[in-house]
Amino acid sequence: MTITNLGSGTDLPPASGKRVLLIGASRGLGLALAQEWAQDGRQITATVRGSGRTQLHDLADTHAGGIEIDTVDITEPEQVTALHTRLAGRMFDLLFVNAGVANQPEGTVAETSTDEFNRVMVTNALSPLRVIEALQDLVEPTGTIGVMSSGQGSVANNVRGGHEVYRGSKAALNTFMRSYAARHDGEHRTLVLMAPGWVRTDLGGSGAPLGIDDSIPNVVKTLDSLQGRPGLHYVDYLGRTVAW
Ligand SMILES: NC(=O)c1ccc[n+]([C@@H]2O[C@H](COP(=O)([O-])OP(=O)(O)OC[C@H]3O[C@@H](n4cnc5c(N)ncnc54)[C@H](OP(=O)(O)O)[C@@H]3O)[C@@H](O)[C@H]2O)c1
């Protein structure tokens, strides 16, 4: 398995392509990713949950033809299969799974109810891999598959505890992506676990040090810089390798 660091070479890799499939873009970081890519002239298919109007619909109205909206709840396998069926025959340069949830940061894992543990783990760890497995054939052989991880998924950097279930879910996500990468060793796709920084969103809270504009333009730049570099990269929004 190739697990590479983001190089600092002088060769400028191409941008991560024009056709983007973005999962979980109703608000927060996903919405900002859609906005950034739309402003960049990329063709975006972005998903929301359910049939209600979201901020993504407002954004799509201001980018006529640039943003197509589809629906999927990533925890519902039949919805993932249905999305794949609707998109059959299409090809994307980048699949990015952003959808994720947090739970209350206080309390140990042992104090967490089984339902809450299941909700966070199923959403953040199991479901992204189900989405990737189901939709991977829509991604160009030299394209990119990325998923929103977190710096809190780092086992090595967990020296203070806290946010135990969320941390565990992102660490599990990272491990599942390593298994995926190992199974796809020798292929040409770029695989990315992205740590966007601690950002002010509904999930990140108002006390986070970064605004969306500090994170997301850099996330996009980092994804572009990794295009053409096969193997699995666990990096933050500034392209810095995160310790596993
Ligand atoms: N903000 C941070 O500081 C931070 C730091 C590290 C990592 N992250 C990660 O970044 C990602 C986005 O976080 P955010 O801060 O933008 O959170 P957010 O504002 O709460 O947005 C979460 C997004 O995920 C979607 N989502 C949740 N569960 C879903 C499901 N089962 N199926 C489909 N979509 C679902 C939500 O859709 P609905 O509107 O339908 O709920 C929403 O679009 C998450 O994976 C999070 O773990 C965030």
Side-chain angles (χ1 to χ4, degrees), residues 23-31 47-50 54 72-76 97-102 123-124 127 148-152 166 170 173 194-205 208 212:
I23 306 298
S26 61
R27 57 196 168 92
L29 302 184
L31 178 71
T47 71
V48 299
R49 281 196 283 190
T54 71
V72 69
D73 182 327
I74 65 168
T75 65
E76 301 288 343
V97 184
N98 170 73
V101 292
T123 305
N124 290 355
S127 300
M148 202 63 108
S149 179
S150 168
Q152 298 212 4
Y166 181 75
K170 293 294 185 177
L173 169 68
M194 175 60 66
W198 183 14
V199 188
R200 292 185 293 277
T201 63
D202 292 342
L203 186 152
I212 283 176

Coordinates of all heavy atoms in Angstrom, one line a residue, residues 23-31 47-50 54 72-76 97-102 123-124 127 148-152 166 170 173 194-205 208 212, ligand 1:
I23 N -21.0 14.5 -1.4 CA -22.0 13.8 -0.6 C -22.2 14.6 0.8 O -21.2 14.6 1.6 CB -21.7 12.3 -0.3 CG1 -21.5 11.6 -1.6 CG2 -22.8 11.7 0.5 CD1 -22.6 11.6 -2.6
G24 N -23.3 15.2 1.0 CA -23.6 15.9 2.2 C -23.2 17.4 2.1 O -22.2 17.8 2.6
A25 N -24.1 18.2 1.5 CA -23.7 19.6 1.1 C -24.9 20.5 1.5 O -24.9 21.6 0.9 CB -23.4 19.7 -0.4
S26 N -25.7 20.2 2.4 CA -26.9 21.1 2.7 C -26.5 22.3 3.5 O -27.1 23.3 3.4 CB -27.9 20.3 3.5 OG -27.3 19.9 4.8
R27 N -25.3 22.2 4.2 CA -24.9 23.3 5.1 C -23.5 23.1 5.5 O -22.9 22.1 5.1 CB -25.8 23.4 6.3 CG -25.9 22.2 7.1 CD -27.1 22.1 8.1 NE -27.3 20.8 8.7 CZ -26.7 20.3 9.8 NH1 -26.0 21.1 10.5 NH2 -26.9 19.1 10.2
G28 N -22.9 24.0 6.3 CA -21.6 23.9 6.9 C -20.5 23.7 5.8 O -20.5 24.4 4.8
L29 N -19.6 22.8 6.1 CA -18.4 22.7 5.2 C -18.8 22.1 3.9 O -18.2 22.5 2.9 CB -17.4 21.7 5.9 CG -16.9 22.2 7.3 CD1 -15.8 21.2 7.8 CD2 -16.3 23.6 7.3
G30 N -19.8 21.2 3.8 CA -20.2 20.7 2.5 C -20.7 21.8 1.6 O -20.4 21.8 0.4
L31 N -21.6 22.6 2.2 CA -22.1 23.7 1.4 C -21.0 24.7 0.9 O -21.0 25.1 -0.3 CB -23.1 24.5 2.3 CG -23.7 25.8 1.6 CD1 -24.7 25.4 0.5 CD2 -24.4 26.6 2.7
T47 N -25.3 16.3 -2.8 CA -26.5 15.7 -2.2 C -26.9 16.4 -0.9 O -26.1 16.9 -0.2 CB -26.2 14.2 -2.0 OG1 -25.3 14.1 -0.9 CG2 -25.7 13.5 -3.2
V48 N -28.2 16.2 -0.7 CA -28.8 16.6 0.6 C -29.6 15.4 1.1 O -29.8 14.5 0.4 CB -29.7 17.9 0.5 CG1 -28.9 19.0 0.0 CG2 -30.9 17.6 -0.5
R49 N -30.1 15.5 2.3 CA -31.0 14.5 2.8 C -32.4 15.0 2.7 O -32.7 16.1 2.9 CB -30.8 14.3 4.3 CG -29.6 13.4 4.7 CD -29.7 12.9 6.1 NE -29.3 13.9 7.1 CZ -29.2 13.7 8.3 NH1 -29.3 12.5 8.8 NH2 -28.8 14.6 9.2
G50 N -33.3 14.1 2.3 CA -34.8 14.4 2.3 C -35.1 15.4 1.2 O -34.3 15.7 0.3
T54 N -32.9 23.5 1.1 CA -31.7 23.7 1.9 C -31.0 24.9 1.3 O -31.3 25.4 0.3 CB -30.8 22.5 1.9 OG1 -30.2 22.4 0.6 CG2 -31.5 21.2 2.3
V72 N -29.5 11.7 -0.8 CA -29.1 10.5 -0.2 C -28.9 10.7 1.3 O -28.4 11.7 1.8 CB -27.8 9.9 -0.8 CG1 -26.6 10.7 -0.5 CG2 -27.7 8.4 -0.3
D73 N -29.4 9.7 2.1 CA -29.1 9.6 3.5 C -28.0 8.5 3.5 O -28.4 7.3 3.2 CB -30.3 9.3 4.4 CG -29.9 9.2 5.9 OD1 -28.8 8.7 6.2 OD2 -30.8 9.5 6.7
I74 N -26.8 8.8 3.9 CA -25.7 7.8 3.8 C -25.9 6.6 4.7 O -25.3 5.6 4.5 CB -24.3 8.4 3.9 CG1 -24.1 9.0 5.4 CG2 -24.1 9.5 2.9 CD1 -22.7 9.3 5.6
T75 N -26.8 6.7 5.7 CA -27.0 5.6 6.6 C -28.1 4.6 6.1 O -28.4 3.7 6.8 CB -27.4 6.1 8.0 OG1 -28.6 6.7 8.0 CG2 -26.3 7.0 8.6
E76 N -28.6 4.9 5.0 CA -29.7 4.1 4.4 C -29.2 3.4 3.1 O -29.1 4.1 2.0 CB -30.9 4.9 4.0 CG -31.5 5.7 5.2 CD -32.3 4.7 6.2 OE1 -32.6 3.6 5.8 OE2 -32.5 5.1 7.3
V97 N -16.9 12.6 0.2 CA -17.9 12.3 1.2 C -17.7 13.2 2.4 O -16.7 13.0 3.1 CB -17.9 10.8 1.6 CG1 -19.0 10.5 2.5 CG2 -17.9 9.9 0.3
N98 N -18.5 14.1 2.5 CA -18.4 15.1 3.6 C -19.3 14.8 4.8 O -19.0 15.2 5.9 CB -18.7 16.5 3.1 CG -18.8 17.6 4.1 OD1 -17.8 18.0 4.7 ND2 -20.1 18.0 4.5
A99 N -20.4 14.2 4.6 CA -21.4 14.0 5.6 C -20.9 13.4 6.9 O -20.1 12.5 6.8 CB -22.6 13.1 5.0
G100 N -21.3 14.0 8.0 CA -20.8 13.4 9.3 C -21.6 14.1 10.4 O -22.3 15.1 10.2
V101 N -21.6 13.5 11.6 CA -22.3 14.0 12.8 C -21.3 14.0 14.0 O -20.3 13.2 14.0 CB -23.5 13.2 13.1 CG1 -24.6 13.3 12.0 CG2 -23.2 11.7 13.3
A102 N -21.7 14.8 14.9 CA -21.0 14.7 16.2 C -22.0 14.4 17.3 O -23.2 14.5 17.1 CB -20.3 16.1 16.5
T123 N -22.8 6.6 11.1 CA -22.8 7.7 10.2 C -21.3 8.0 9.8 O -21.1 8.3 8.6 CB -23.4 9.0 10.9 OG1 -24.7 8.7 11.3 CG2 -23.5 10.1 9.9
N124 N -20.4 8.1 10.7 CA -19.1 8.6 10.4 C -18.1 7.6 9.9 O -17.1 7.9 9.3 CB -18.5 9.3 11.7 CG -19.2 10.6 12.0 OD1 -20.1 11.0 11.3 ND2 -18.8 11.1 13.2
S127 N -20.9 4.3 7.2 CA -21.6 4.8 6.0 C -20.7 5.4 4.9 O -20.9 5.2 3.7 CB -22.7 5.8 6.4 OG -23.6 5.1 7.3
M148 N -14.3 13.3 4.5 CA -14.0 14.3 5.5 C -13.7 13.5 6.8 O -14.6 12.9 7.4 CB -15.1 15.2 5.7 CG -14.7 16.5 6.4 SD -13.5 17.5 5.4 CE -14.5 18.9 4.9
S149 N -12.4 13.5 7.2 CA -12.0 12.9 8.5 C -12.0 14.0 9.5 O -12.8 15.0 9.4 CB -10.7 12.2 8.3 OG -10.3 11.6 9.6
S150 N -11.0 14.0 10.3 CA -10.8 15.0 11.4 C -9.4 14.8 12.0 O -9.0 13.7 12.0 CB -11.9 14.9 12.4 OG -11.6 15.7 13.6
G151 N -8.9 15.9 12.5 CA -7.6 15.7 13.2 C -7.9 14.9 14.5 O -7.0 14.2 15.0
Q152 N -9.2 14.8 14.9 CA -9.5 14.0 16.1 C -9.5 12.5 15.8 O -9.5 11.7 16.7 CB -10.9 14.5 16.6 CG -10.8 15.9 17.1 CD -11.8 16.2 18.2 OE1 -12.4 15.2 18.8 NE2 -11.9 17.4 18.6
Y166 N -16.8 10.6 19.1 CA -16.5 11.2 17.8 C -15.1 10.9 17.3 O -14.9 10.5 16.2 CB -16.7 12.8 17.9 CG -16.4 13.5 16.6 CD1 -17.3 13.5 15.6 CD2 -15.2 14.3 16.5 CE1 -17.1 14.2 14.4 CE2 -15.0 15.0 15.3 CZ -15.9 15.0 14.3 OH -15.7 15.7 13.1
K170 N -13.9 8.7 13.9 CA -13.1 9.2 12.8 C -11.8 8.3 12.7 O -11.2 8.1 11.7 CB -12.7 10.7 13.0 CG -13.9 11.6 12.8 CD -14.4 11.7 11.4 CE -15.6 12.7 11.3 NZ -16.1 12.9 9.9
L173 N -13.0 5.4 10.8 CA -13.0 5.8 9.4 C -11.7 5.8 8.8 O -11.5 5.2 7.7 CB -13.6 7.2 9.3 CG -13.5 7.9 7.9 CD1 -14.4 7.2 6.9 CD2 -13.9 9.4 8.1
M194 N -9.3 13.9 4.9 CA -9.1 15.3 5.1 C -9.5 15.7 6.5 O -10.6 15.5 7.0 CB -10.0 16.1 4.0 CG -9.9 17.6 4.2 SD -8.3 18.3 4.0 CE -7.9 18.0 2.3
A195 N -8.5 16.4 7.1 CA -8.8 17.1 8.4 C -9.0 18.6 8.1 O -8.0 19.3 7.8 CB -7.6 16.8 9.4
P196 N -10.2 19.1 8.2 CA -10.4 20.5 7.8 C -10.0 21.5 8.8 O -10.2 22.7 8.5 CB -11.9 20.5 7.5 CG -12.5 19.5 8.6 CD -11.4 18.4 8.6
G197 N -9.5 21.1 10.0 CA -9.3 22.1 11.1 C -10.6 22.2 11.9 O -11.7 21.6 11.5
W198 N -10.5 22.8 13.0 CA -11.7 23.0 13.9 C -12.4 24.3 13.4 O -11.8 25.4 13.6 CB -11.2 23.1 15.3 CG -12.4 23.2 16.3 CD1 -13.7 23.0 16.0 CD2 -12.3 23.6 17.7 NE1 -14.4 23.2 17.2 CE2 -13.6 23.6 18.2 CE3 -11.2 23.9 18.5 CZ2 -13.9 23.9 19.5 CZ3 -11.5 24.2 19.8 CH2 -12.8 24.2 20.3
V199 N -13.5 24.2 12.8 CA -14.2 25.2 12.1 C -15.5 25.6 12.7 O -16.3 24.7 13.1 CB -14.4 24.8 10.6 CG1 -14.8 26.0 9.8 CG2 -13.1 24.3 10.0
R200 N -15.9 26.9 12.7 CA -17.2 27.3 13.2 C -18.3 26.9 12.2 O -18.5 27.5 11.2 CB -17.2 28.8 13.4 CG -16.3 29.3 14.5 CD -16.4 30.8 14.8 NE -15.9 31.6 13.7 CZ -14.6 31.9 13.5 NH1 -13.6 31.5 14.3 NH2 -14.2 32.7 12.5
T201 N -19.0 25.8 12.6 CA -20.2 25.4 11.9 C -21.2 24.9 13.0 O -20.8 24.9 14.2 CB -19.9 24.2 11.0 OG1 -19.4 23.1 11.8 CG2 -18.8 24.5 9.9
D202 N -22.3 24.3 12.6 CA -23.2 23.8 13.6 C -22.5 22.7 14.4 O -22.6 22.6 15.6 CB -24.4 23.1 12.9 CG -25.3 24.2 12.3 OD1 -25.2 25.4 12.7 OD2 -26.2 23.8 11.4
L203 N -21.7 21.9 13.7 CA -21.0 20.8 14.3 C -19.8 21.3 15.1 O -19.5 20.9 16.2 CB -20.5 19.8 13.2 CG -19.8 18.5 13.7 CD1 -20.1 17.4 12.6 CD2 -18.3 18.6 13.9
G204 N -19.0 22.2 14.5 CA -17.8 22.7 15.2 C -18.0 23.6 16.3 O -17.2 23.8 17.2
G205 N -19.2 24.3 16.3 CA -19.6 25.2 17.4 C -19.0 26.6 17.2 O -18.1 26.8 16.3
A208 N -14.9 27.6 17.8 CA -13.8 27.1 17.0 C -12.9 28.2 16.5 O -13.4 29.3 16.2 CB -14.4 26.3 15.8
I212 N -15.1 29.3 8.2 CA -15.2 28.4 7.0 C -14.2 28.9 5.9 O -13.6 28.1 5.2 CB -16.6 28.4 6.5 CG1 -17.5 27.5 7.4 CG2 -16.7 28.0 5.0 CD1 -18.9 27.4 7.0
Ligands
LIG1 N1 -16.6 21.8 11.8 C1 -15.5 21.2 12.2 O1 -14.8 21.8 13.1 C2 -15.0 19.9 11.7 C3 -13.8 19.4 12.1 C4 -13.3 18.2 11.6 C5 -14.1 17.4 10.8 N2 -15.4 17.9 10.5 C6 -16.2 17.0 9.6 O2 -16.6 17.8 8.5 C7 -17.9 17.2 8.0 C8 -18.9 18.4 7.9 O3 -19.0 18.9 9.2 P1 -19.7 20.4 9.4 O4 -18.9 21.0 10.5 O5 -20.0 21.0 8.1 O6 -21.1 19.8 10.1 P2 -22.6 20.3 9.9 O7 -22.6 21.8 9.7 O8 -23.3 19.7 11.1 O9 -23.0 19.6 8.6 C9 -23.1 18.2 8.5 C10 -23.5 17.8 7.1 O10 -23.5 16.4 7.0 C11 -24.8 16.0 6.6 N3 -25.2 14.7 7.1 C12 -25.2 14.3 8.4 N4 -25.7 13.1 8.5 C13 -26.0 12.7 7.2 C14 -26.5 11.5 6.7 N5 -26.8 10.4 7.4 N6 -26.7 11.4 5.4 C15 -26.4 12.5 4.6 N7 -25.9 13.6 5.0 C16 -25.7 13.7 6.4 C17 -25.8 17.1 7.1 O11 -27.0 17.1 6.4 P3 -28.4 17.6 7.1 O12 -28.4 19.1 6.9 O13 -29.4 16.8 6.4 O14 -28.3 17.2 8.6 C18 -24.9 18.3 6.8 O15 -25.0 18.6 5.4 C19 -18.3 16.1 9.0 O16 -17.8 14.9 8.5 C20 -17.4 16.5 10.2 O17 -17.2 15.4 11.0 C21 -15.8 19.1 10.9

